[in-house]
Amino acid sequence: MHQHSSSCPCGQRHAHSQQGCSSKPRPTIKKISMMTSVTAETSCCSEAGCGSGSDADEESDRRGSAERFSWIISGMDCPSCARKIETAVSKLSEVDTARVLYATEKLVVNADRDVRQQVEAAVKQAGFTLQRSDAVKTDAATPGFWQENRAIILLAVMMLASWLIDLVSPEAGQIAFTLTTLAGAWPIARSALRLIRSGTPFAIETLMTVAAIGALFIGATAEAAMVLLLFLLGERLESFAASRARRGVTALMALKPEEAVRVSGEKRETVALSELRPGDRIEVAAGARLPADARLLSPFASFDESALTGESVPVERQQGEAVTAGCLSVDRQVLLEVISKPGESAIDRILHLIEEAESNRAPIERFLDRFSRIYTPVIMAMALLVAVIPPLLFAADWQPWIYKGLTLLLIGCPCALVISTPAAITSGLAAASRRGVLIKGGAALESLNAIRTFAFDKTGTLTEGKPQVTALIPLAEESEDSLLAKAAAVEAGSSHPLAKAIVALAGQRGLTLAAATSQRALAGSGVEAIVSGHSLLISAPARLDQGTLSPEQQERVSALEAEGNTVVVLLQENQPTALIALRDTLRADAAAALAELKALDIQAVMLTGDNPRAAAAIAGELGIDFRAGLLPADKVTAIGELNQQQPVAMVGDGINDAPAMKAATTGIAMGSGSDVALETADAALTHNRLGGLATMIRISRATHANIRQNITIALGLKGVFLVTTLLGITGLWLAVLADSGATALVTANALRLLRKR
């Protein structure tokens, strides 16, 4: 039986104009804390009608019959490296499918038999190192500055020495530059040879090798050495950015302690996380995180679940309720029963979602690497044809046509092309960083140009992430300050965010708090204490006995909650004396930032784990659509739906936003967000100002236009000199001028971005 309780087929209550909604029902993903696998509940019939699904079954059977192997890959500098590894492994006839998950540095292979040795040999031949996922992990020493940068430093020193020698003796300088080029080209040429053998003949390494050797043949030794130095420097910077971004994904594991206290009768022992099994009893101290998904055995406790749900306040859990791994026990030691197997907890599920989001995205390839697939073989073929066809077919002299062929190689030397894109990107990144926006690399900067929708988390992103008292309504003949002082006395010393907000407001007003005695938390009710001889209780309205609040008072509570507030009641001697409303406040710059985005023709939608009423209040103030009550898996689904319409950027600050950030075209973190969010995201607002979102879009669009201009300059000049060289009008020296002149022009053009506002 189908029920249609929502105003929208996607399953959420919001305006019909919300982005990302379609007539197709949105798959419902089970709560992450309860599941061991992500499942989608769908109807037996699709819009196309019922079918047997034989093709899907056949594909499922085929995959099910294959064995799965996985490795951890080292040495990947950029997403194009993932494609090179996939190409090398896919060439093996025994391999069914090969997939590299760049974010988690994992290679996954499906094959009908054990192909681990063949895969490992193929990957090593391509120039990468790997370790089996099931092997005992070894802590490799972190390479130092010298180890990581010695090739660049040595090449730069040799360049300087060659230049000094050239000032004294041009002939000796030519020899020095030649030796410098050969020294710099050797590791690149070796890498190119490995890639050729593994099935990637026209990678950027091949392009650089041919360009450098070609430049040596025509005597452009200084230019050849400089191109290699710039190439190595760009590779190093990209590798640094990639490693920083990947650390954010592995930082998720920090939410789970490495060890747990297992309880057996009166015996307590500390065991490794991998030794926990469903049914084990564990003890978690106050302020510690759960090592696995578990069921609460203690009568009640408060847990900070913001890591997974985005809720801004801790949640009360009763005996028998499930609590997810990574949640923090707020104020007491608790006893729990493990319900998840090793590797199948909520945190593990989030890591899995990030991997899936990464695999569903097209690899972000560097422009020159893509272009080299066509550019390199065409230039090499043209140079060869120019050098040999006229002498062989038309009995022309060999020397002039070899000269023209070498000139063509120099014209084809990608000096300007190699510099054009990184120069523009570097300038764009520098311009953004000056304005409080950190963009992690050229791929992220380029992808921002395509963004047409921003998806926002609520708590800590559009709001401050700290609840504040919004209203205190006396229900008895007593002053507001007096009631506030009593409430603060009861809550004094509590670590609960709501309690802190009440105590903070009393402090701001300079109120003197009476000493509270017999202070204790009541299971699922609230907090009670004796203050100045009176019994006081602070409780959620829903936890009070029916009839405690009059109909008028209950209506007042409902009205406050409809505005997005969390309401608590202060009772004295079991009589309601005050209503206290608290709410997470909107960021001061949120409305202005969204207005700037709208002016750039960018739409906005809010995705939050908070309750629908709180979400509706914030969305109403900002005039945007929203989806509420979302878990991390639901956010990934929502981002996937939005991405099907147009490129989406996800803006968040919590660990629970990490999978959605990876699923989005671009992930953006708030500067005050969690370490995991900051490291996982493609960009961050370092000054924590939402106005930086419009800034990064404007800079990205300007950078994209600048790159197009640079490529036009570089290829345009090469095209002109290609024609003049073949006609015999220009020679080697003008070819060198064309290349160096184009390099100077594209660099000067890129520097204009530093003045971009």
Short mmCIF file of all heavy atoms in Angstrom, two decimals, residues 35 63 254 305 648:
data_model
loop_
_atom_site.label_atom_id
_atom_site.label_comp_id
_atom_site.label_asym_id
_atom_site.label_seq_id
_atom_site.Cartn_x
_atom_site.Cartn_y
_atom_site.Cartn_z
N MET A 35 22.80 0.07 9.85
CA MET A 35 22.95 -0.81 8.70
C MET A 35 24.35 -1.37 8.61
O MET A 35 25.30 -0.86 9.15
CB MET A 35 22.65 -0.05 7.41
CG MET A 35 23.63 1.05 7.09
SD MET A 35 23.12 1.94 5.64
CE MET A 35 24.42 3.14 5.54
N ARG A 63 29.32 -10.20 -12.06
CA ARG A 63 30.17 -9.60 -11.06
C ARG A 63 30.28 -10.47 -9.82
O ARG A 63 31.31 -10.54 -9.16
CB ARG A 63 29.64 -8.21 -10.67
CG ARG A 63 29.81 -7.20 -11.78
CD ARG A 63 29.41 -5.80 -11.33
NE ARG A 63 29.62 -4.84 -12.38
CZ ARG A 63 29.40 -3.55 -12.24
NH1 ARG A 63 28.93 -3.09 -11.10
NH2 ARG A 63 29.61 -2.71 -13.25
N ALA A 254 40.03 8.84 12.84
CA ALA A 254 40.35 9.38 14.16
C ALA A 254 39.13 9.44 15.06
O ALA A 254 39.25 9.56 16.28
CB ALA A 254 40.97 10.77 14.02
N GLU A 305 26.03 13.52 18.66
CA GLU A 305 25.97 12.80 17.39
C GLU A 305 26.21 13.72 16.20
O GLU A 305 25.91 13.37 15.05
CB GLU A 305 24.61 12.12 17.25
CG GLU A 305 24.32 11.10 18.34
CD GLU A 305 22.99 10.38 18.13
OE1 GLU A 305 22.25 10.78 17.20
OE2 GLU A 305 22.71 9.43 18.88
N VAL A 648 27.15 20.92 -9.05
CA VAL A 648 26.77 21.36 -7.70
C VAL A 648 28.01 21.46 -6.82
O VAL A 648 28.90 20.62 -6.87
CB VAL A 648 25.78 20.37 -7.06
CG1 VAL A 648 25.45 20.78 -5.64
CG2 VAL A 648 24.52 20.28 -7.89
#
